[in-house]
Amino acid sequence: MNLKILKLENLLRCHAVFRQLHSLGQRRMLAQWSHVFSSAYPVWTAQPCVWPWQTDLVIGAALSQYRLLVTKKEGRSQKPPLSSTKSKKEVEVWIGMTVQELARAMEKDVDCVFEALMNTDIDIDSLEAHSHLDEVWIKEVIKKTRMKLKWSKLKQDKVRENKDAVRRPQADPALLIPRSPVVTIMGHVDHGKTTLLDKLRKTQVAAMEAGGITQHIGAFLVSLPSGERITFLDTPGHAAFSAMRARGAQVTDIVILVVAADDGVMKQTVESIQHARDAQVPIVLAINKCDKAEADPEKVKKELLAYDVVCEDYGGDVQAVHISAVTGDNLMALAEATIALAEMLELKADPTGPVEGTVIESFTDKGRGPVTTAIIQRGTLRKGSILVAGKSWAKVRLMFDENGKPIQEAYPSMPVGIVGWRDLPSAGDEILEVESEPRARAVVDWRKYEQEQEKNKEDLKIIEEKRKEHQEAHQKAREKYGTLHWKERSFLKYQEKKEQKLLKPKEKEERDSPVLPIIIKGDVDGSVEAIVNIMNTYDASHECELQLVHFGVGDVSENDVNLAETFHGVIYGFNVNAGNVIQQSAAKKGVKIRLHKIIYRLIEDVQEELSFRLPCTVEENPIGEASILATFTVTEGKKKVPVAGCRVQKGQLEKQKKFKLIRNRDVIWKGSLTSLKHHKDDISVIKSGMDCGLSLSEEKIEFKVGDEIICYEEKEVPGKTSWDPGF
């Protein structure tokens, strides 16, 4: 401030000096001419003497005013300036953020976001805290809350180090040692797969299977009299277990295709051939039930030619062995053919280093917790090893063989049960050994992060598609209303809203359609997978909506009952139990628990429940038929009532039932009768061959000779779902 005042003072002083010099010059000129003009202009002699004093007075006043103004301005400048831009809070946002994320970024409640979006085109009722917001709505919220927008990249776009575990590179051939073959037995249901395996290992698994069918993969190590060992996988043959068969083919070296000689090639036989071909696995053909009188092995071989399975008898490379799983005929020949093929394949593995394997099946045991059946493919599994499979990890506490006996080590090609998992991995997951528990946690966290990333990408893709649809709809609306006068535009919008209001009752009716929420519990992961896959084929949502609320492995729990009560659903259990306490709790809460041991019985039960929830259909059951022979009118008071003279052709007419009038095969009226007479007598029933006169409840209907009168009764028939699961 002082510098500015000094500069101004110097300028004003210079100006004052200049004025004084100018006034002195004028004084001299006036002194020279004063004697000429002294009498005429007396004022000129005194006036210039006043100017210097007036100038100093003006300068002083100006300087004091300037000092005052500058001082006030600087006083005001010491206070922070109230800028409208800086006072707004800056909110960092990104495309695709959820309602909850936006509220958190604004440091507001979620309700604040909902309030900002009221009276906009967005459907508030459909919004949830986790719903993703489009760019337009994010801007709208920030604008209405008077905050400043700052775009940033998605948090998920930040680079994160890949901490996943992967398989090791191929081993040095010098480290490889011969291993036992892993053989999968595949084929159609009830063609003798499990019975064949039972005979080989001298057990009775088939007798224990519910309904006589295998419903999950069994892994067994069988020692042959020759000293050779083979790991067998027995896959289900039922149509529902296609995913299990595919999984069995992916971890196997050889497929034994079992075909019944009396039945031939069936649907699951063809499917098994395709699984083996996709996995590029060689096939050994076992033609079973050759001991039966109606057996025709040659027919089986010829049928397989259509599917490019050419046996050695026909010039191909597929070994065909005629066996009987019941009597045990030629089973050793089948085993020898399998061993010979394995020797040709020269199967070897590296028993050193970290373990690699595949989860064949997983389930929850009451005493042991999550348990997996696995095939070891590389390395040697020992107690205490740290394993990762899918998004779960384990520290091996216990290992056991197919008979439940504890073992200390598991080598390549060995089936082994593993206990110690923190969570239940999925069947088909890859098993990898890592060096420590922190490393296992890091791998699982990374995989969960990757899954979340994929989900976010899918969500953003859906959001982008919705945004494009919204923009296109907006553009069409602008083109539609752009050239119209505002009155015409308002009228059209009013008409559209009116039509939408008329549609609302229909929409409400659609929302009130029946719903069946279900909870699935199974004994093993593969069984649950098969049931869920069948539920995914449901295609009758227009009749009754099927909601899969929850699915999991293990017995029915109290949480399942509470969930079913909340959603008014039904619990379906497959090969699991529900204790007395659970059943009593379910009965009190009105929750149905349906337990099954055969998969197609469970599916039939679901179909019945769906049909039960459908509205009943009304069927018309004809009682009698009559033809109109004549028409006339009868006066009743002041009214003229049309009457039809009829003859009953079939059955009987009952006055209390319903009637319909048919003309040229078209129904032109439905209702009840006001009178039914035989001659002049009122009567309630007219039998076949009798004549009668009748009048309808609607007087405006005119009869014509040749029309038909049908007497019928309505009967309610329970609805039946149109869903066909395929078996």
Side-chain angles (χ1 to χ4, degrees):
M1 182 191 77
N2 294 332
L3 289 172
K4 292 178 180 179
I5 292 174
L6 287 172
K7 286 179 182 179
L8 184 59
E9 286 178 348
N10 291 334
L11 288 171
L12 291 172
R13 279 178 187 141
C14 289
H15 182 68
V17 171
F18 173 75
R19 292 295 299 252
Q20 287 176 358
L21 290 172
H22 181 67
S23 64
L24 286 172
Q26 284 185 338
R27 250 184 244 160
R28 286 175 186 173
M29 290 177 65
L30 288 170
Q32 291 175 3
W33 293 92
S34 62
H35 62 282
V36 181
F37 301 102
S38 58
S39 59
Y41 303 97
V43 182
W44 282 71
T45 57
Q47 190 72 17
C49 298
V50 184
W51 289 355
W53 175 82
Q54 288 178 340
T55 304
D56 291 338
L57 188 63
V58 171
I59 291 169
L63 284 170
S64 63
Q65 289 295 325
Y66 182 75
R67 285 192 189 96
L68 184 62
L69 288 170
V70 171
T71 305
K72 286 183 179 179
K73 188 175 181 181
E74 285 195 352
R76 287 197 304 268
S77 65
Q78 289 174 1
K79 297 178 183 178
L82 297 173
S83 172
S84 60
T85 305
K86 291 184 180 178
S87 65
K88 288 184 178 181
K89 182 179 177 180
E90 195 172 64
V91 181
E92 188 175 0
V93 298
W94 58 91
I95 295 174
M97 69 190 309
T98 62
V99 174
Q100 193 170 12
E101 288 171 341
L102 180 56
R104 196 180 296 120
M106 294 164 56
E107 296 182 359
K108 299 282 186 181
D109 192 8
V110 176
D111 292 337
C112 179
V113 179
F114 290 140
E115 288 174 8
L117 291 172
M118 287 181 71
N119 300 320
T120 60
D121 293 339
I122 195 168
D123 186 8
I124 295 289
D125 296 333
S126 65
L127 275 184
E128 300 289 344
H130 59 272
S131 300
H132 292 274
L133 291 173
D134 200 357
E135 180 182 346
V136 178
W137 307 123
I138 294 172
K139 288 180 178 179
E140 186 71 18
V141 172
I142 299 299
K143 181 182 176 182
K144 286 192 175 182
T145 51
R146 297 181 181 179
M147 296 186 180
K148 188 178 178 182
L149 193 71
K150 181 184 177 183
W151 289 104
S152 69
K153 291 185 178 180
L154 273 174
K155 294 179 180 179
Q156 288 85 356
D157 288 340
K158 293 179 181 178
V159 178
R160 184 170 170 178
E161 184 184 355
N162 188 336
K163 295 185 178 181
D164 201 3
V166 294
R167 285 181 179 264
R168 292 179 286 155
Q170 289 187 352
D172 184 355
L175 299 175
L176 300 179
I177 61 170
R179 64 174 177 83
S180 304
V182 178
V183 179
T184 300
I185 299 180
M186 303 177 77
H188 191 72
V189 63
D190 199 30
H191 276 201
K193 302 182 300 298
T194 308
T195 308
L196 166 62
L197 192 59
D198 295 343
K199 205 69 177 180
L200 284 170
R201 65 174 190 151
K202 296 180 181 178
T203 58
Q204 291 297 322
V205 176
M208 295 184 289
E209 294 285 1
I213 61 172
T214 303
Q215 301 183 109
H216 51 78
I217 293 178
F220 310 97
L221 186 64
V222 177
S223 297
L224 302 177
S226 59
E228 301 286 349
R229 305 177 80 186
I230 303 175
T231 296
F232 282 102
L233 301 181
D234 179 23
T235 63
H238 199 276
F241 297 97
S242 177
M244 285 191 182
R245 286 191 291 278
R247 192 157 54 245
Q250 291 296 330
V251 297
T252 193
D253 302 311
I254 300 169
V255 167
I256 293 181
L257 182 64
V258 179
V259 185
D262 61 337
D263 212 1
V265 176
M266 303 296 285
K267 185 176 180 180
Q268 274 74 60
T269 309
V270 177
E271 189 185 285
S272 300
I273 294 169
Q274 189 60 48
H275 288 321
R277 188 170 287 125
D278 292 343
Q280 298 181 349
V281 178
I283 294 174
V284 175
L285 178 61
I287 303 176
N288 193 22
K289 302 184 181 181
C290 289
D291 56 320
K292 288 192 172 183
E294 59 272 22
D296 189 355
E298 294 302 318
K299 179 187 173 184
V300 172
K301 295 177 186 178
K302 289 175 183 178
E303 287 178 349
L304 288 171
L305 291 173
Y307 305 99
D308 294 330
V309 178
V310 185
C311 299
E312 291 176 341
D313 298 351
Y314 293 90
D317 56 356
V318 176
Q319 300 180 76
V321 183
H322 300 187
I323 65 168
S324 172
V326 175
T327 62
D329 292 345
N330 273 345
L331 291 190
M332 285 301 104
L334 178 63
E336 289 169 4
T338 306
I339 294 296
L341 182 56
E343 289 175 354
M344 291 175 61
L345 296 174
E346 296 182 352
L347 302 173
K348 294 183 179 181
D350 177 14
T352 62
V355 171
E356 295 175 6
T358 301
V359 176
I360 297 298
E361 198 52 87
S362 60
F363 58 95
T364 301
D365 186 88
K366 281 185 178 179
R368 297 172 174 175
V371 181
T372 62
T373 302
I375 294 290
I376 305 302
Q377 295 166 315
R378 188 175 181 183
T380 302
L381 182 64
R382 296 180 177 86
K383 190 176 178 180
S385 299
I386 309 297
L387 306 178
V388 174
K391 289 177 282 298
S392 177
W393 67 278
K395 183 175 182 180
V396 180
R397 292 191 288 108
L398 176 67
M399 296 185 297
F400 54 89
D401 61 12
E402 70 275 9
N403 298 315
K405 294 181 180 179
I407 56 175
Q408 300 301 318
E409 293 181 336
Y411 300 99
S413 296
M414 274 186 69
V416 58
I418 302 171
V419 178
W421 295 96
R422 297 301 188 269
D423 298 300
L424 193 67
S426 298
D429 283 348
E430 180 183 64
I431 295 176
L432 297 174
E433 184 179 359
V434 294
E435 58 272 16
S436 63
E437 291 186 21
R439 171 67 177 140
R441 292 191 188 96
V443 172
V444 171
D445 288 343
W446 169 259
R447 291 179 177 179
K448 289 179 179 177
Y449 167 77
E450 274 193 318
Q451 186 182 31
E452 187 180 348
Q453 285 287 88
E454 290 297 322
K455 186 179 182 299
N456 287 336
K457 286 180 182 178
E458 291 176 3
D459 290 344
L460 286 175
K461 187 178 178 182
I462 294 169
I463 290 170
E464 186 63 22
E465 289 175 356
K466 292 287 184 184
R467 187 182 66 82
K468 286 181 180 178
E469 289 177 7
H470 179 75
Q471 286 180 343
E472 289 174 2
H474 180 67
Q475 187 64 30
K476 287 180 181 178
R478 288 190 64 180
E479 291 173 359
K480 182 179 179 180
Y481 300 122
T483 58
L484 298 176
H485 188 265
W486 69 270
K487 290 183 179 179
E488 296 174 338
R489 186 164 58 246
S490 299
F491 178 73
L492 282 176
K493 288 183 177 179
Y494 168 76
Q495 291 285 8
E496 289 176 359
K497 286 182 179 179
K498 191 175 179 182
E499 290 176 3
Q500 288 176 359
K501 286 179 180 178
L502 291 173
L503 288 173
K504 279 185 179 179
K506 186 179 179 182
E507 291 172 0
K508 186 179 180 182
E509 187 179 341
E510 289 176 357
R511 282 198 301 270
D512 291 340
S513 60
V515 180
L516 174 59
I518 61 172
I519 295 171
I520 304 294
K521 296 301 289 288
D523 57 342
V524 294
D525 187 71
S527 299
V528 176
E529 177 190 19
I531 296 168
V532 171
N533 287 341
I534 295 171
M535 298 303 166
N536 288 336
T537 66
Y538 184 70
D539 56 359
S541 296
H542 59 285
E543 299 172 348
C544 178
E545 186 179 351
L546 181 64
Q547 290 182 349
L548 184 58
V549 176
H550 171 68
F551 59 88
V553 176
D555 290 340
V556 178
S557 65
E558 187 66 32
N559 288 336
D560 299 325
V561 174
N562 293 335
L563 199 60
E565 181 190 18
T566 302
F567 287 91
H568 305 288
V570 181
I571 301 173
Y572 290 94
F574 178 71
N575 275 336
V576 295
N577 296 318
N580 292 332
V581 176
I582 299 296
Q583 290 186 2
Q584 289 172 6
S585 173
K588 285 181 182 178
K589 295 175 180 179
V591 174
K592 297 177 184 177
I593 299 178
R594 307 285 177 78
L595 303 178
H596 296 274
K597 293 188 176 297
I598 302 174
I599 192 167
Y600 55 80
R601 299 291 185 204
L602 185 148
I603 303 304
E604 287 173 358
D605 197 337
V606 175
Q607 286 179 296
E608 289 177 6
E609 188 66 31
L610 285 165
S611 300
F612 175 75
R613 301 205 173 201
L614 294 178
C616 294
T617 57
V618 178
E619 287 187 357
E620 295 179 356
N621 185 24
I623 297 175
E625 298 178 10
S627 58
I628 297 178
L629 304 178
T631 62
F632 48 93
T633 58
V634 175
T635 303
E636 291 183 0
K638 295 182 180 180
K639 293 182 181 179
K640 289 186 177 182
V641 179
V643 176
C646 307
R647 177 170 294 166
V648 181
Q649 305 291 345
K650 186 178 180 181
Q652 61 185 23
L653 304 186
E654 299 179 20
K655 186 179 178 181
Q656 302 303 322
K657 304 294 183 182
K658 293 190 175 182
F659 290 80
K660 56 185 175 181
L661 180 63
I662 298 176
R663 182 176 297 159
N664 298 326
R665 298 184 179 179
D666 295 327
V667 178
I668 62 173
W669 171 84
K670 278 187 176 182
S672 57
L673 302 181
T674 55
S675 66
L676 179 64
K677 294 188 177 185
H678 179 62
H679 300 304
K680 293 183 179 181
D681 300 326
D682 289 326
I683 195 166
S684 59
V685 178
I686 300 290
K687 295 185 178 180
S688 178
M690 295 176 65
D691 294 335
C692 65
L694 54 86
S695 60
L696 309 180
S697 58
E698 190 172 344
E699 297 176 359
K700 294 180 180 179
I701 299 295
E702 293 184 1
F703 297 109
K704 287 187 178 181
V705 176
D707 290 352
E708 292 182 5
I709 296 287
I710 306 294
C711 177
Y712 66 94
E713 62 179 355
E714 292 182 342
K715 185 179 180 182
E716 286 190 350
V717 179
K720 187 175 182 181
T721 180
S722 61
W723 175 44
D724 181 13
F727 58 87

